Amino acid sequence: MSIKVISSLKDNFADEVLQYFSKDEPVALPTETVYGLAAPVSRLKAVARIYEIKERPSFNPLIVHVKEDWDLSQWAEINEIEKKLISKFWPGPLSILLKKKNIPDLVTAASDKVVLRAPSHPLFRKILTKLKEPLVAPSANSSTKLSPTTSIAVAEDLGSKLKAVLEGGRCEWGVESTIVEVQNGKVVILREGAVSKEQLEAAGFEISTGAASTHTPGSQLKHYAPSVPLYFFDSEEEWKSKRGKDILLLKVLDSDSPYAENVEVLSSSNDLKEAASRLFDFLRRAQDQYKEIRVLKTVDQLLGRAINDRLLRASTRS
Ligand code: TXA
Ligand code: MG
């Protein structure tokens, strides 16, 4: 693996990242959700490299990362409700689909809309401040595979194709941002993620319950897949009906231990945030150790919804 791991302890780490960009090389950067594969929005060669490195289909657009205090009207049309979402949730893991302005078609896969997000991660923000330009950044994994929550996961997946990753430790949330769009005054959740429906409601937004008329091309059903079969169960009986030394039985939450052999729990303190932050890294390691992963569905509330969504998409179906 030839990938360079850039230490964020060095004073000039941002300059080093910018040097790669100036050579049209994307760099993987930590965010509060997952690591992103980043390039400046105007550097189309580097943006094209992102599609190539991820083997991402060209119809799947990229999220554009900004700072909340920039003049955002340069890049999108923003109405009053969208402004309120921004003021309540940015910086943080909420992405908003907006009518685009001055964003290259390569970035949005020719759509006239763009997803904007202002990450809260201090290292990512330092790069944005120094660059003074938005960064496109899809999750830094091969298309359809598990999203990376550590620099090691990035290096293992993309190390032979990518020049550099900025070390930022483990990501706080471990699942991607929530993507929303405002339609007819209501908030439509296009992708479940780190900001829950309950949080949006508590902040005073009306959530649309109907089927979304817009879709996010990257949310094709098959996604986040480990390299061994993963089965996702509603029923505890079915979940534990098959056991063996090569089979992992995974539960998202529990506080009743001890557990039988090969049963693992993502959070034994019943903490959804802890479970989410461990999810992808756990699956990444489990795929090397087991021949089959059986997961029991968790509560359909708060972050549980994003966890269930990722597990359903990761699962093997006929
Ligand atoms: O937390 C996150 O959002 C991470 C970090 C790195 O910021 N990024 C991320 O990007 O998850 P990605 O590319 O893995 O997922 C973005 C999703 C994809 O499903 C894509 O199809 C959708 O957002 N998307 C992006 N731009 C869009 C657009 N203009 N219209 C519709 N969907 C869009
Ligand atoms: Mg992704």
Side-chain angles (χ1 to χ4, degrees), residues 6 8 23 31-33 37 75 86 104 110 121 141 166 206 209 221 223 272 288 290 305 318:
I6 302 171
S8 47
K23 289 180 260 172
T31 83
E32 72 277 25
T33 56
L37 184 52
W75 299 296
I86 288 172
H121 196 290
N141 53 286
L166 176 63
E206 202 179 331
T209 49
L221 206 51
H223 211 136
L272 282 168
D288 297 334
Y290 296 95
R305 257 196 300 276
S318 44

Side-chain angles (χ1 to χ4, degrees), residues 53-318:
I53 291 171
K54 279 182 63 82
E55 296 175 39
R56 185 177 179 111
S58 58
F59 59 77
N60 192 0
L62 308 175
I63 297 186
V64 175
H65 297 66
V66 294
K67 289 189 83 182
E68 66 289 352
D69 54 0
W70 285 353
D71 172 15
L72 302 172
S73 65
Q74 304 171 67
W75 299 296
E77 284 173 21
I78 307 178
N79 70 27
E80 285 312 308
I81 299 178
E82 292 154 351
K83 279 187 187 148
K84 197 172 143 206
L85 281 168
I86 288 172
S87 78
K88 300 244 176 182
F89 289 96
W90 285 10
L94 184 79
S95 296
I96 311 176
L97 183 66
L98 301 160
K99 187 109 187 6
K100 80 170 186 180
K101 285 191 204 162
N102 308 316
I103 301 277
D105 275 349
L106 180 64
V107 170
T108 60
S111 164
D112 59 357
K113 293 180 186 170
V114 64
V115 171
L116 292 190
R117 125 163 169 84
S120 62
H121 196 290
L123 298 179
F124 200 108
R125 294 172 69 77
K126 276 217 170 110
I127 309 285
L128 285 172
T129 305
K130 191 115 205 184
L131 185 69
K132 301 189 181 70
E133 176 185 336
L135 281 171
V136 302
S139 53
N141 53 286
S142 302
S143 207
T144 79
K145 296 287 190 279
L146 298 167
S147 299
T149 55
T150 62
S151 61
I152 295 169
V154 175
E156 281 183 4
D157 184 352
L158 303 178
S160 60
K161 303 186 223 167
L162 178 64
K163 291 275 194 288
V165 54
L166 176 63
E167 178 57 61
R170 181 182 293 273
C171 300
E172 179 189 349
W173 290 95
V175 289
E176 297 83 350
S177 63
T178 301
I179 305 179
V180 298
E181 181 178 24
V182 175
Q183 287 175 8
N184 306 319
K186 292 186 186 170
V187 173
V188 181
I189 298 176
L190 301 176
R191 175 177 75 178
E192 302 278 359
V195 170
S196 66
K197 174 173 146 236
E198 288 85 344
Q199 279 174 290
L200 287 160
E201 280 167 345
F205 296 95
E206 202 179 331
I207 310 297
S208 168
T209 49
S213 59
T214 310
H215 84 137
T216 51
S219 303
Q220 323 96 308
L221 206 51
K222 178 86 177 160
H223 211 136
Y224 313 107
S227 55
V228 297
L230 181 151
Y231 299 100
F232 186 47
F233 295 93
D234 264 339
S235 134
E236 181 150 0
E237 285 312 307
E238 279 176 48
W239 168 66
K240 59 186 185 194
S241 65
K242 188 172 164 199
R243 291 185 174 230
K245 74 172 176 23
D246 292 336
I247 300 175
L248 169 68
L249 295 188
L250 180 63
K251 227 175 162 178
V252 176
L253 297 182
D254 212 319
S255 51
D256 306 329
S257 40
Y259 259 107
E261 218 190 331
N262 289 359
V263 177
E264 297 271 3
V265 176
L266 287 175
S267 172
S268 52
S269 53
N270 270 327
D271 176 353
L272 282 168
K273 188 168 176 193
E274 181 189 37
S277 71
R278 292 186 64 205
L279 176 68
F280 288 131
D281 203 40
F282 192 93
L283 292 178
R284 198 173 61 84
R285 273 178 291 152
Q287 69 189 3
D288 297 334
Q289 248 177 292
Y290 296 95
K291 294 218 167 80
E292 177 177 329
I293 303 171
R294 299 168 73 84
V295 199
L296 183 60
K297 188 176 175 190
T298 192
V299 288
D300 244 329
Q301 61 192 37
L302 299 163
L303 267 179
R305 257 196 300 276
I307 295 173
N308 286 333
D309 168 83
R310 301 305 185 271
L311 287 170
L312 175 65
R313 291 179 205 285
S315 65
T316 311
R317 278 142 297 149
S318 44

Side-chain angles (χ1 to χ4, degrees), residues 34-50:
V34 299
Y35 277 70
L37 184 52
V41 71
S42 69
R43 286 207 166 256
L44 295 186
K45 270 195 189 156
V47 175
R49 280 285 293 145
I50 291 179

